[in-house]
Amino acid sequence: MLEDTSFAIHPGKEQVTGIDAYSDIGTLLNYKKTDNKYLFQCKNGQVVIQFYTDFIVRVVMNPVDEPKLSGSKAVITLPETVTVKEQQSSEALILKTSKLELVIKKSPFRLTVNDHQGRELIAEMDRGMGFKSTGEVIAYKVMNEADHFYGFGEKSGHLDKRGEKYEMWNTDVYAPHNPETDPLYESIPYFMTLRDGRAHGVFFDNTFRTIFDMKSEEHYYSFQAEGGQLDYYVFAGPEPKSVLEQYTHLTGKMPLPPKWALGYHQSRYSYRSEAEVRELAKNFIERDIPLDAVHLDIHYMNGYRVFTFDQERFPNPEKLIKDLRELGIRVVPIVDPGVKKDPEYNIYQEGVNGDLFCKYIEGHIYHGDVWPGPSAFPDFTDEKVHKWWGDKHEFYTKLGIEGIWNDMNEPAVFNETKTMDVEVIHRNEGRPATHRELHNIYGLLMEKATYGGLRQQLNGKRPFLLTRAGYAGVQRYAAVWTGDNRSFWEHLQMSLPMVMNLGLSGAPFAGPDVGGFAYDTNAELLTRWTQVGAFTPFFRNHSAIGFKNQEPWQFGEKYATIMKKYIQMRYEWMPQLYSLFYQASKTGLPVMRPLLMEFPDDEKTYNMNDQFMIGDNVIVAPILVPSVTDRAVYLPAGEWIEFSTGIVYEGAETHLIHAELDEMPIFVKKGSAIMQTEWISNIVKSSKNITMNVYASDHDESYRFTFYDDDGETFEYEKNAFVELDIEVKSNEDSVEINVLQQKGNLSPAYKEINVNVVGLKEGQHVIINGENSGEKRVVPVK
Ligand code: MIG
């Protein structure tokens, strides 16, 4: 219609695109150094370069003002004192730390960041930093032919993101997640580049809508934002692991989760009554299928009012929670941010009276439609609101709840834009800003508030949070599930690169809805998905209202038996998984990782979507298609032992592996070890018997790993109540040596020794434990 009016020749319709739409930062006029930062005055704007560590440098461009360096919600680390050497020439200025070399060309201002060996990390050529008068900012970087891109948080599609273009704008997407469906719920504006076996990273800390484009141009990639500053960090690497350590040095690590959160979770939209939940628990107990948590979806509430229980359906939540707890099962209720507009509802009253909801600049509260109908949204950017929301969780913690599931926190609103009006104002600790600017951190701040509350209320027990939305740093508070997938084989396939890229984006505790959320699952899909789920960091079966129920027994005994085997296997692997979660909490390295992380020189791993690693020595190669019982498995250099059969496979080769429906191929690297236990029962959960499976090699091999254990549920480990063993396994033709190099922590666990089970020992090969030839009984003592 509008095309028939003079709108058709509106001046705004003349579209200038690409680089031409931007003004260049221009020539460097002068610069000055203060403390650890350099301020550059350029013809069209200002740039600050700030060194964080020898490995990390920050670049901030502001076309209007002096760059602002404070206020990040993602970065929790302050810059260190870094020694910087300067060199000048007429064309360029060179700044060097012991690990980085920055070459700043003056006319026009162009920045190249090299490592200390002169290897180029990021470079600008004819294009560099630009901006528009309407507020957009952009950075163009040279794209090398050998570049592969990873991370970007939660994205559909393949592992390697070269050739893709992504948007960051937290969005509730119920429509099927296709390879091109973007954006989704989480925004982590960070990526890692792998080039010829060496890696570096970039974190673009901008909370506006951002776009990363590795697709449109042949020789450049770019990242841009709708507003704010061009504010990014470069991480020197050079290994994929060190990039992630550097990124999580800035944005923080995941706190060690309680052990129960690493177990199996069962969910449904919704288990609708106390009776139904009790029946569910009974089924798990009677069938001896492990279960650690039942999730309560929105039907538990009174008219979808958060911090309430429906009196009819859940007349006595305290008793229900207590009874389930005695069976070894915890209850995790859903909490959405939307607070029902209801003048007789205490939470709404408090929010209005205390001025805690998001408002328009003119002063009225923003209301959006969600489950409870018109609702108001807490302004988590405000300290006061933060505290209030956290404190409100006493409602749950008093009932014995230790875990909260946060949904709809993009925030999702049932309207055209799917979210809050972008004109709404957030208080933002005295620096008010629009929702357009802060949308992407709404979820992160809700997690922060919730975590703070639970941490206070749980008397030293570890909280568990599960979130749908987030921003860089989300790992500090919550696990992430990947939202509303479907019961499609394609979605099982896609979940692998998605969770691996989340892991590469600093969020190691993640997983999809096992079995698929929407649409009807089927026996084979659910079985194969449960096998994979047993090894993904977060393991929850969840399904949607109106579709088939998908608890492990819903498709008959044949399938139930297989699923039970794998869910139990999850618990048998718990000592190994828990040690890896501990490592993740210390270093940021993910539990589930792509092969390229361990084999960055092996190009075959660069876009390997259908296999993943657990730690540094286990490869899982699940069956991801129906009716298939054989698959190609690529094993990188080394020798690998199939976990279930003990068969040895040569690495640097592809093998055809057979796996009937009750099998999922798993391979352990020869010369390494894994820690295992036995499944006992839901009430006991883990056995006191720990076994170290050592996979003997007869070549010269040496492997080191850490076994970690503690009480699994409190913060006492911060006061040294843990056991940590640094273990070395050395193999050669004559012997397999197992040495405990060091025991740390002063917890003395119930087990006084760890059984050693050597797999694949050759005749004549001795087993030597802590320097002594072992006898019949092979054990490693624990003090
Ligand atoms: O759009 O609470 O992703 O896990 O079951 C529906 C009901 C709202 C979306 C979540 C899903 C949950 C559902 N929620």
Side-chain angles (χ1 to χ4, degrees), residues 335-606:
V335 176
D336 293 351
V339 174
K340 186 177 174 71
K341 180 175 188 297
D342 170 1
E344 293 177 347
Y345 167 37
N346 67 322
I347 305 291
Y348 188 70
Q349 292 165 346
E350 286 178 29
V352 173
N353 294 335
D355 193 20
L356 308 170
F357 292 131
C358 297
K359 285 180 163 180
Y360 283 101
I361 192 164
E362 293 81 5
H364 54 289
I365 293 174
Y366 168 80
H367 289 105
D369 270 336
V370 270
W371 297 119
S375 301
F377 294 81
D379 185 2
F380 296 113
T381 66
D382 190 34
E383 196 50 45
K384 180 172 65 168
V385 180
H386 205 265
K387 171 122 190 0
W388 172 67
W389 190 259
D391 287 349
K392 283 291 124 190
H393 284 77
E394 256 190 33
F395 173 79
Y396 297 111
T397 52
K398 275 203 169 137
L399 298 172
I401 284 167
E402 295 166 37
I404 296 286
W405 166 23
N406 287 137
D407 187 21
M408 305 289 278
N409 53 351
E410 293 73 26
V413 180
F414 302 147
N415 64 25
E416 285 272 293
T417 69
K418 295 178 149 197
T419 193
M420 189 182 286
D421 190 336
V422 291
E423 290 187 353
V424 165
I425 295 283
H426 293 287
R427 294 160 180 85
N428 199 27
E429 288 163 20
R431 209 175 55 82
T434 59
H435 191 66
R436 190 169 81 92
E437 177 170 348
L438 300 180
H439 171 79
N440 281 343
I441 53 169
Y442 191 82
L444 174 79
L445 297 179
M446 180 181 188
E447 296 320 291
K448 189 177 180 196
T450 308
Y451 192 89
L454 260 59
R455 181 76 177 87
Q456 276 222 325
Q457 293 150 25
L458 288 179
N459 295 319
K461 285 200 185 155
R462 298 175 215 168
F464 165 68
L465 295 189
L466 179 64
T467 187
R468 195 168 72 173
Y471 180 74
V474 64
Q475 68 271 11
R476 302 196 295 261
Y477 315 112
V480 171
W481 101 100
T482 57
D484 296 345
N485 63 358
R486 299 202 166 197
S487 301
F488 299 155
W489 288 93
E490 290 82 353
H491 281 196
L492 166 57
Q493 292 157 17
M494 207 162 60
S495 70
L496 267 48
M498 191 183 269
V499 175
M500 287 192 273
N501 271 322
L502 271 163
L504 288 178
S505 308
F509 197 6
D513 283 345
V514 168
F517 176 67
Y519 204 64
D520 292 318
T521 200
N522 62 68
E524 193 184 356
L525 176 59
L526 182 62
T527 304
R528 289 299 193 192
W529 209 324
T530 304
Q531 293 174 340
V532 179
F535 289 86
T536 46
F538 179 58
F539 185 18
R540 183 184 73 157
N541 172 320
H542 181 48
S543 61
I545 195 166
F547 298 100
K548 270 191 185 155
N549 265 79
Q550 60 185 40
E551 293 77 17
W553 52 83
Q554 294 293 352
F555 296 91
E557 288 316 306
K558 175 181 157 197
Y559 300 99
T561 307
I562 305 173
M563 288 186 249
K564 172 169 153 176
K565 168 180 159 184
Y566 278 86
I567 301 173
Q568 289 188 353
M569 203 189 260
R570 170 76 168 201
Y571 290 76
E572 290 159 9
W573 280 69
M574 199 56 87
Q576 180 73 9
L577 293 171
Y578 195 57
S579 298
L580 291 169
F581 268 87
Y582 168 71
Q583 183 190 45
S585 75
K586 288 281 170 200
T587 63
L589 298 183
V591 176
M592 173 182 179
R593 40 185 98 150
L595 275 70
L596 66 93
M597 185 161 238
E598 298 300 330
F599 300 92
D601 291 313
D602 182 347
E603 272 191 56
K604 285 220 168 98
T605 65
Y606 287 6

Side-chain angles (χ1 to χ4, degrees), residues 209-242:
R209 188 191 298 266
T210 54
I211 290 172
F212 292 76
D213 188 352
M214 292 72 60
K215 172 187 191 160
S216 306
E217 307 266 344
E218 198 183 342
H219 300 297
Y220 285 96
Y221 65 88
S222 65
F223 43 93
Q224 67 190 88
E226 222 178 64
Q229 306 185 120
L230 190 64
D231 183 352
Y232 67 95
Y233 299 78
V234 181
F235 307 100
E239 296 87 19
K241 287 182 185 173
S242 41

Side-chain angles (χ1 to χ4, degrees), residues 7-220:
F7 183 79
I9 47 168
H10 189 288
K13 292 204 81 178
E14 191 187 30
Q15 290 251 328
V16 185
T17 55
I19 183 69
D20 298 336
Y22 292 87
S23 308
D24 190 90
I25 182 76
T27 298
L28 175 63
L29 304 177
N30 57 64
Y31 74 93
K32 65 170 189 255
K33 187 188 178 189
T34 42
D35 305 324
N36 60 349
K37 60 175 202 274
Y38 289 80
L39 174 64
F40 298 88
Q41 292 286 345
C42 299
K43 182 158 170 274
N44 300 322
Q46 304 179 50
V47 179
V48 161
I49 288 180
Q50 186 183 30
F51 291 92
Y52 257 66
T53 72
D54 284 331
F55 292 91
I56 305 173
V57 64
R58 179 186 190 186
V59 181
V60 191
M61 185 271 278
N62 189 320
V64 188
D65 293 314
E66 182 164 328
K68 288 175 208 60
L69 300 181
S70 63
S72 171
K73 297 292 190 292
V75 175
I76 52 167
T77 310
L78 292 172
E80 290 169 11
T81 314
V82 179
T83 311
V84 183
K85 288 195 193 127
E86 289 174 38
Q87 272 170 37
Q88 277 273 14
S89 74
S90 56
E91 280 115 62
L93 166 70
I94 297 177
L95 305 177
K96 274 187 181 177
T97 74
S98 67
K99 299 293 169 193
L100 285 169
E101 177 190 75
L102 275 67
V103 181
I104 296 147
K105 289 230 180 86
K106 295 177 184 169
S107 187
F109 185 93
R110 290 291 181 267
L111 169 69
T112 294
V113 180
N114 301 320
D115 74 4
H116 64 296
Q117 293 162 331
R119 179 181 61 106
E120 191 176 289
L121 307 180
I122 58 158
E124 300 171 343
M125 301 243 288
D126 46 326
R127 298 179 187 185
M129 298 189 255
F131 61 90
K132 290 187 194 173
S133 57
T134 41
E136 292 93 331
V137 289
I138 193 164
Y140 280 98
K141 302 291 171 202
V142 174
M143 184 155 71
N144 189 293
E145 241 176 277
D147 282 350
H148 300 266
F149 299 96
Y150 307 93
F152 305 99
E154 182 185 60
K155 296 296 175 195
S156 57
H158 286 145
L159 186 65
D160 180 359
K161 300 307 191 187
R162 189 180 176 119
E164 302 292 344
K165 180 175 174 179
Y166 288 113
E167 185 178 323
M168 302 290 172
W169 182 256
N170 292 359
T171 306
D172 172 15
V173 184
Y174 178 72
H177 302 171
N178 290 324
E180 86 280 22
T181 307
D182 181 61
L184 293 172
Y185 318 86
E186 297 262 332
S187 292
I188 307 185
Y190 159 80
F191 63 94
M192 176 185 95
T193 308
L194 181 61
R195 183 190 302 156
D196 301 323
R198 301 296 203 91
H200 61 272
V202 171
F203 170 41
F204 180 24
D205 191 8
N206 183 310
T207 61
F208 282 84
R209 188 191 298 266
T210 54
I211 290 172
F212 292 76
D213 188 352
M214 292 72 60
K215 172 187 191 160
S216 306
E217 307 266 344
E218 198 183 342
H219 300 297
Y220 285 96

